[in-house]
mmCIF file of all heavy atoms in Angstrom:
data_model
loop_
_atom_site.group_PDB
_atom_site.id
_atom_site.type_symbol
_atom_site.label_atom_id
_atom_site.label_comp_id
_atom_site.label_asym_id
_atom_site.label_seq_id
_atom_site.Cartn_x
_atom_site.Cartn_y
_atom_site.Cartn_z
ATOM 1 N N PHE A 189 91.001 91.449 91.020
ATOM 2 C CA PHE A 189 90.033 90.980 92.006
ATOM 3 C C PHE A 189 88.635 91.539 91.756
ATOM 4 O O PHE A 189 87.645 91.013 92.276
ATOM 5 C CB PHE A 189 90.484 91.348 93.429
ATOM 6 C CG PHE A 189 91.737 90.635 93.879
ATOM 7 C CD1 PHE A 189 92.608 91.222 94.778
ATOM 8 C CD2 PHE A 189 92.060 89.376 93.386
ATOM 9 C CE1 PHE A 189 93.757 90.560 95.200
ATOM 10 C CE2 PHE A 189 93.206 88.710 93.791
ATOM 11 C CZ PHE A 189 94.058 89.303 94.701
ATOM 12 N N LEU A 190 88.545 92.608 90.978
ATOM 13 C CA LEU A 190 87.240 93.184 90.670
ATOM 14 C C LEU A 190 86.391 92.254 89.807
ATOM 15 O O LEU A 190 85.183 92.456 89.664
ATOM 16 C CB LEU A 190 87.408 94.535 89.961
ATOM 17 C CG LEU A 190 87.904 95.694 90.828
ATOM 18 C CD1 LEU A 190 88.270 96.887 89.970
ATOM 19 C CD2 LEU A 190 86.862 96.082 91.860
ATOM 20 N N ARG A 191 87.030 91.228 89.224
ATOM 21 C CA ARG A 191 86.279 90.281 88.404
ATOM 22 C C ARG A 191 85.408 89.356 89.252
ATOM 23 O O ARG A 191 84.530 88.671 88.743
ATOM 24 C CB ARG A 191 87.246 89.441 87.563
ATOM 25 C CG ARG A 191 88.037 90.272 86.564
ATOM 26 C CD ARG A 191 89.121 89.465 85.897
ATOM 27 N NE ARG A 191 89.918 90.301 85.002
ATOM 28 C CZ ARG A 191 91.009 89.887 84.388
ATOM 29 N NH1 ARG A 191 91.443 88.661 84.558
ATOM 30 N NH2 ARG A 191 91.678 90.703 83.592
ATOM 31 N N GLY A 192 85.698 89.302 90.543
ATOM 32 C CA GLY A 192 84.915 88.458 91.438
ATOM 33 C C GLY A 192 83.672 89.165 91.932
ATOM 34 O O GLY A 192 83.449 90.358 91.691
ATOM 35 N N THR A 193 82.848 88.426 92.636
ATOM 36 C CA THR A 193 81.646 89.009 93.235
ATOM 37 C C THR A 193 82.058 89.926 94.391
ATOM 38 O O THR A 193 83.208 89.903 94.845
ATOM 39 C CB THR A 193 80.724 87.916 93.771
ATOM 40 O OG1 THR A 193 81.407 87.205 94.824
ATOM 41 C CG2 THR A 193 80.349 86.927 92.666
ATOM 42 N N ALA A 194 81.108 90.701 94.874
ATOM 43 C CA ALA A 194 81.391 91.595 96.005
ATOM 44 C C ALA A 194 81.872 90.787 97.212
ATOM 45 O O ALA A 194 82.790 91.199 97.922
ATOM 46 C CB ALA A 194 80.142 92.396 96.356
ATOM 47 N N LYS A 195 81.272 89.616 97.426
ATOM 48 C CA LYS A 195 81.671 88.767 98.550
ATOM 49 C C LYS A 195 83.095 88.258 98.377
ATOM 50 O O LYS A 195 83.892 88.249 99.326
ATOM 51 C CB LYS A 195 80.700 87.591 98.696
ATOM 52 C CG LYS A 195 81.016 86.695 99.887
ATOM 53 C CD LYS A 195 80.028 85.552 100.010
ATOM 54 C CE LYS A 195 80.377 84.666 101.199
ATOM 55 N NZ LYS A 195 79.431 83.531 101.339
ATOM 56 N N GLN A 196 83.424 87.812 97.149
ATOM 57 C CA GLN A 196 84.782 87.326 96.883
ATOM 58 C C GLN A 196 85.811 88.434 97.087
ATOM 59 O O GLN A 196 86.884 88.206 97.648
ATOM 60 C CB GLN A 196 84.866 86.784 95.448
ATOM 61 C CG GLN A 196 84.188 85.438 95.256
ATOM 62 C CD GLN A 196 84.198 85.009 93.791
ATOM 63 O OE1 GLN A 196 83.972 85.824 92.889
ATOM 64 N NE2 GLN A 196 84.445 83.733 93.558
ATOM 65 N N GLN A 197 85.480 89.650 96.641
ATOM 66 C CA GLN A 197 86.388 90.781 96.825
ATOM 67 C C GLN A 197 86.639 91.040 98.305
ATOM 68 O O GLN A 197 87.791 91.246 98.719
ATOM 69 C CB GLN A 197 85.812 92.032 96.173
ATOM 70 C CG GLN A 197 85.777 92.004 94.653
ATOM 71 C CD GLN A 197 85.093 93.232 94.086
ATOM 72 O OE1 GLN A 197 85.231 94.330 94.606
ATOM 73 N NE2 GLN A 197 84.333 93.047 93.022
ATOM 74 N N ARG A 198 85.573 91.017 99.106
ATOM 75 C CA ARG A 198 85.718 91.247 100.550
ATOM 76 C C ARG A 198 86.573 90.154 101.188
ATOM 77 O O ARG A 198 87.425 90.431 102.035
ATOM 78 C CB ARG A 198 84.339 91.307 101.219
ATOM 79 C CG ARG A 198 83.595 92.607 101.004
ATOM 80 C CD ARG A 198 82.439 92.751 101.982
ATOM 81 N NE ARG A 198 81.472 91.662 101.856
ATOM 82 C CZ ARG A 198 80.448 91.665 101.006
ATOM 83 N NH1 ARG A 198 80.249 92.709 100.215
ATOM 84 N NH2 ARG A 198 79.624 90.646 100.962
ATOM 85 N N ASN A 199 86.331 88.905 100.762
ATOM 86 C CA ASN A 199 87.088 87.780 101.334
ATOM 87 C C ASN A 199 88.578 87.900 101.030
ATOM 88 O O ASN A 199 89.426 87.655 101.895
ATOM 89 C CB ASN A 199 86.553 86.453 100.797
ATOM 90 C CG ASN A 199 85.193 86.106 101.357
ATOM 91 O OD1 ASN A 199 84.768 86.654 102.370
ATOM 92 N ND2 ASN A 199 84.499 85.183 100.696
ATOM 93 N N VAL A 200 88.885 88.277 99.790
ATOM 94 C CA VAL A 200 90.291 88.408 99.388
ATOM 95 C C VAL A 200 90.956 89.538 100.160
ATOM 96 O O VAL A 200 92.080 89.389 100.680
ATOM 97 C CB VAL A 200 90.406 88.636 97.865
ATOM 98 C CG1 VAL A 200 91.811 89.087 97.491
ATOM 99 C CG2 VAL A 200 90.070 87.358 97.093
ATOM 100 N N MET A 201 90.278 90.663 100.262
ATOM 101 C CA MET A 201 90.865 91.795 100.961
ATOM 102 C C MET A 201 90.963 91.517 102.462
ATOM 103 O O MET A 201 91.907 91.952 103.121
ATOM 104 C CB MET A 201 90.059 93.068 100.697
ATOM 105 C CG MET A 201 90.086 93.524 99.232
ATOM 106 S SD MET A 201 91.755 93.708 98.546
ATOM 107 C CE MET A 201 92.351 95.140 99.451
ATOM 108 N N ASP A 202 89.997 90.785 103.013
ATOM 109 C CA ASP A 202 90.094 90.383 104.420
ATOM 110 C C ASP A 202 91.303 89.470 104.630
ATOM 111 O O ASP A 202 91.984 89.560 105.662
ATOM 112 C CB ASP A 202 88.818 89.654 104.855
ATOM 113 C CG ASP A 202 87.678 90.602 105.171
ATOM 114 O OD1 ASP A 202 87.948 91.808 105.372
ATOM 115 O OD2 ASP A 202 86.514 90.147 105.202
ATOM 116 N N ALA A 203 91.547 88.587 103.655
ATOM 117 C CA ALA A 203 92.704 87.694 103.755
ATOM 118 C C ALA A 203 93.998 88.492 103.747
ATOM 119 O O ALA A 203 94.926 88.206 104.517
ATOM 120 C CB ALA A 203 92.688 86.688 102.598
ATOM 121 N N LEU A 204 94.070 89.504 102.905
ATOM 122 C CA LEU A 204 95.258 90.361 102.877
ATOM 123 C C LEU A 204 95.413 91.106 104.200
ATOM 124 O O LEU A 204 96.518 91.227 104.740
ATOM 125 C CB LEU A 204 95.160 91.372 101.722
ATOM 126 C CG LEU A 204 95.565 90.886 100.328
ATOM 127 C CD1 LEU A 204 95.321 91.986 99.306
ATOM 128 C CD2 LEU A 204 97.023 90.459 100.302
ATOM 129 N N LYS A 205 94.283 91.585 104.723
ATOM 130 C CA LYS A 205 94.312 92.305 106.012
ATOM 131 C C LYS A 205 94.823 91.383 107.116
ATOM 132 O O LYS A 205 95.625 91.796 107.969
ATOM 133 C CB LYS A 205 92.908 92.818 106.329
ATOM 134 C CG LYS A 205 92.817 93.657 107.588
ATOM 135 C CD LYS A 205 91.429 94.284 107.718
ATOM 136 C CE LYS A 205 90.363 93.230 107.931
ATOM 137 N NZ LYS A 205 89.016 93.819 108.146
ATOM 138 N N ASN A 206 94.387 90.121 107.085
ATOM 139 C CA ASN A 206 94.823 89.163 108.100
ATOM 140 C C ASN A 206 96.312 88.853 107.988
ATOM 141 O O ASN A 206 96.994 88.677 109.003
ATOM 142 C CB ASN A 206 94.014 87.868 107.983
ATOM 143 C CG ASN A 206 92.592 88.034 108.453
ATOM 144 O OD1 ASN A 206 92.291 88.937 109.243
ATOM 145 N ND2 ASN A 206 91.684 87.199 107.957
ATOM 146 N N ILE A 207 96.821 88.771 106.750
ATOM 147 C CA ILE A 207 98.263 88.548 106.571
ATOM 148 C C ILE A 207 99.033 89.687 107.240
ATOM 149 O O ILE A 207 100.006 89.475 107.962
ATOM 150 C CB ILE A 207 98.621 88.454 105.079
ATOM 151 C CG1 ILE A 207 98.044 87.179 104.462
ATOM 152 C CG2 ILE A 207 100.147 88.473 104.880
ATOM 153 C CD1 ILE A 207 98.188 87.095 102.949
ATOM 154 N N GLY A 208 98.579 90.912 106.979
ATOM 155 C CA GLY A 208 99.233 92.074 107.584
ATOM 156 C C GLY A 208 99.154 92.065 109.090
ATOM 157 O O GLY A 208 100.122 92.385 109.785
ATOM 158 N N ASN A 209 97.976 91.678 109.621
ATOM 159 C CA ASN A 209 97.783 91.660 111.071
ATOM 160 C C ASN A 209 98.645 90.601 111.754
ATOM 161 O O ASN A 209 99.279 90.854 112.770
ATOM 162 C CB ASN A 209 96.312 91.391 111.407
ATOM 163 C CG ASN A 209 95.433 92.593 111.125
ATOM 164 O OD1 ASN A 209 95.932 93.690 110.928
ATOM 165 N ND2 ASN A 209 94.137 92.387 111.096
ATOM 166 N N ILE A 210 98.649 89.398 111.191
ATOM 167 C CA ILE A 210 99.358 88.276 111.817
ATOM 168 C C ILE A 210 100.872 88.471 111.762
ATOM 169 O O ILE A 210 101.582 88.260 112.748
ATOM 170 C CB ILE A 210 98.942 86.945 111.154
ATOM 171 C CG1 ILE A 210 97.475 86.632 111.469
ATOM 172 C CG2 ILE A 210 99.844 85.795 111.615
ATOM 173 C CD1 ILE A 210 96.888 85.503 110.653
ATOM 174 N N LEU A 211 101.363 88.889 110.598
ATOM 175 C CA LEU A 211 102.810 89.063 110.438
ATOM 176 C C LEU A 211 103.272 90.454 110.847
ATOM 177 O O LEU A 211 104.473 90.694 110.951
ATOM 178 C CB LEU A 211 103.210 88.796 108.983
ATOM 179 C CG LEU A 211 102.919 87.385 108.448
ATOM 180 C CD1 LEU A 211 103.352 87.274 106.997
ATOM 181 C CD2 LEU A 211 103.602 86.324 109.287
ATOM 182 N N MET A 212 102.314 91.363 111.041
ATOM 183 C CA MET A 212 102.627 92.763 111.384
ATOM 184 C C MET A 212 103.541 93.394 110.338
ATOM 185 O O MET A 212 104.600 93.941 110.642
ATOM 186 C CB MET A 212 103.230 92.851 112.786
ATOM 187 C CG MET A 212 102.236 92.496 113.875
ATOM 188 S SD MET A 212 102.834 92.797 115.554
ATOM 189 C CE MET A 212 103.994 91.431 115.740
ATOM 190 N N ILE A 213 103.120 93.276 109.072
ATOM 191 C CA ILE A 213 103.849 93.863 107.945
ATOM 192 C C ILE A 213 102.893 94.719 107.124
ATOM 193 O O ILE A 213 101.683 94.475 107.101
ATOM 194 C CB ILE A 213 104.478 92.781 107.031
ATOM 195 C CG1 ILE A 213 103.393 91.880 106.421
ATOM 196 C CG2 ILE A 213 105.518 91.967 107.798
ATOM 197 C CD1 ILE A 213 103.923 90.905 105.375
ATOM 198 N N PRO A 214 103.407 95.738 106.429
ATOM 199 C CA PRO A 214 102.548 96.538 105.543
ATOM 200 C C PRO A 214 102.245 95.786 104.250
ATOM 201 O O PRO A 214 103.076 95.034 103.742
ATOM 202 C CB PRO A 214 103.388 97.786 105.264
ATOM 203 C CG PRO A 214 104.801 97.352 105.473
ATOM 204 C CD PRO A 214 104.780 96.279 106.506
ATOM 205 N N ILE A 215 101.034 95.993 103.753
ATOM 206 C CA ILE A 215 100.614 95.441 102.462
ATOM 207 C C ILE A 215 100.545 96.588 101.461
ATOM 208 O O ILE A 215 99.953 97.637 101.746
ATOM 209 C CB ILE A 215 99.228 94.774 102.567
ATOM 210 C CG1 ILE A 215 99.192 93.739 103.701
ATOM 211 C CG2 ILE A 215 98.841 94.151 101.232
ATOM 212 C CD1 ILE A 215 100.058 92.528 103.490
ATOM 213 N N VAL A 216 101.149 96.393 100.302
ATOM 214 C CA VAL A 216 101.094 97.390 99.226
ATOM 215 C C VAL A 216 100.389 96.750 98.039
ATOM 216 O O VAL A 216 100.756 95.655 97.598
ATOM 217 C CB VAL A 216 102.503 97.859 98.816
ATOM 218 C CG1 VAL A 216 102.428 98.808 97.616
ATOM 219 C CG2 VAL A 216 103.204 98.538 99.989
ATOM 220 N N CYS A 217 99.361 97.402 97.537
ATOM 221 C CA CYS A 217 98.647 96.919 96.351
ATOM 222 C C CYS A 217 98.815 97.940 95.227
ATOM 223 O O CYS A 217 98.931 99.139 95.479
ATOM 224 C CB CYS A 217 97.160 96.727 96.649
ATOM 225 S SG CYS A 217 96.829 95.500 97.928
ATOM 226 N N ALA A 218 98.837 97.440 93.998
ATOM 227 C CA ALA A 218 98.968 98.333 92.843
ATOM 228 C C ALA A 218 98.027 97.868 91.744
ATOM 229 O O ALA A 218 97.850 96.663 91.528
ATOM 230 C CB ALA A 218 100.405 98.349 92.330
ATOM 231 N N GLY A 219 97.410 98.821 91.071
ATOM 232 C CA GLY A 219 96.493 98.451 90.004
ATOM 233 C C GLY A 219 95.952 99.661 89.265
ATOM 234 O O GLY A 219 96.370 100.797 89.501
ATOM 235 N N LEU A 220 95.011 99.404 88.380
ATOM 236 C CA LEU A 220 94.392 100.467 87.601
ATOM 237 C C LEU A 220 93.515 101.350 88.493
ATOM 238 O O LEU A 220 93.241 101.015 89.647
ATOM 239 C CB LEU A 220 93.551 99.861 86.476
ATOM 240 C CG LEU A 220 94.316 99.008 85.448
ATOM 241 C CD1 LEU A 220 93.352 98.439 84.406
ATOM 242 C CD2 LEU A 220 95.416 99.817 84.773
ATOM 243 N N LYS A 221 93.073 102.459 87.919
ATOM 244 C CA LYS A 221 92.336 103.446 88.711
ATOM 245 C C LYS A 221 91.096 102.874 89.397
ATOM 246 O O LYS A 221 90.751 103.261 90.506
ATOM 247 C CB LYS A 221 91.943 104.632 87.813
ATOM 248 C CG LYS A 221 93.115 105.500 87.393
ATOM 249 C CD LYS A 221 92.684 106.695 86.575
ATOM 250 C CE LYS A 221 92.289 106.311 85.157
ATOM 251 N NZ LYS A 221 92.008 107.504 84.320
ATOM 252 N N GLU A 222 90.454 101.902 88.727
ATOM 253 C CA GLU A 222 89.236 101.329 89.305
ATOM 254 C C GLU A 222 89.505 100.464 90.535
ATOM 255 O O GLU A 222 88.569 100.053 91.236
ATOM 256 C CB GLU A 222 88.463 100.518 88.257
ATOM 257 C CG GLU A 222 89.268 99.447 87.558
ATOM 258 C CD GLU A 222 89.866 99.925 86.230
ATOM 259 O OE1 GLU A 222 90.191 101.126 86.125
ATOM 260 O OE2 GLU A 222 90.000 99.083 85.334
ATOM 261 N N SER A 223 90.770 100.190 90.814
ATOM 262 C CA SER A 223 91.112 99.388 91.996
ATOM 263 C C SER A 223 90.610 100.026 93.278
ATOM 264 O O SER A 223 90.383 99.343 94.285
ATOM 265 C CB SER A 223 92.633 99.212 92.092
ATOM 266 O OG SER A 223 93.149 98.596 90.937
ATOM 267 N N GLU A 224 90.413 101.330 93.254
ATOM 268 C CA GLU A 224 89.932 102.047 94.438
ATOM 269 C C GLU A 224 88.556 101.540 94.873
ATOM 270 O O GLU A 224 88.185 101.637 96.051
ATOM 271 C CB GLU A 224 89.884 103.544 94.146
ATOM 272 C CG GLU A 224 89.678 104.413 95.356
ATOM 273 C CD GLU A 224 89.812 105.897 95.023
ATOM 274 O OE1 GLU A 224 90.175 106.249 93.880
ATOM 275 O OE2 GLU A 224 89.540 106.709 95.930
ATOM 276 N N LEU A 225 87.813 100.971 93.916
ATOM 277 C CA LEU A 225 86.476 100.457 94.228
ATOM 278 C C LEU A 225 86.531 99.322 95.241
ATOM 279 O O LEU A 225 85.568 99.094 95.985
ATOM 280 C CB LEU A 225 85.787 99.963 92.940
ATOM 281 C CG LEU A 225 85.450 101.018 91.886
ATOM 282 C CD1 LEU A 225 84.969 100.358 90.605
ATOM 283 C CD2 LEU A 225 84.413 101.995 92.420
#
């Protein structure tokens, strides 16, 4: 997801947050060290 613009990154992560909120489930992400950005 870091390949996208800052706006695209926020949109994708907001979408993941919404999935977690609506379904009330935990989201687990995995990636390289730069994923923290």
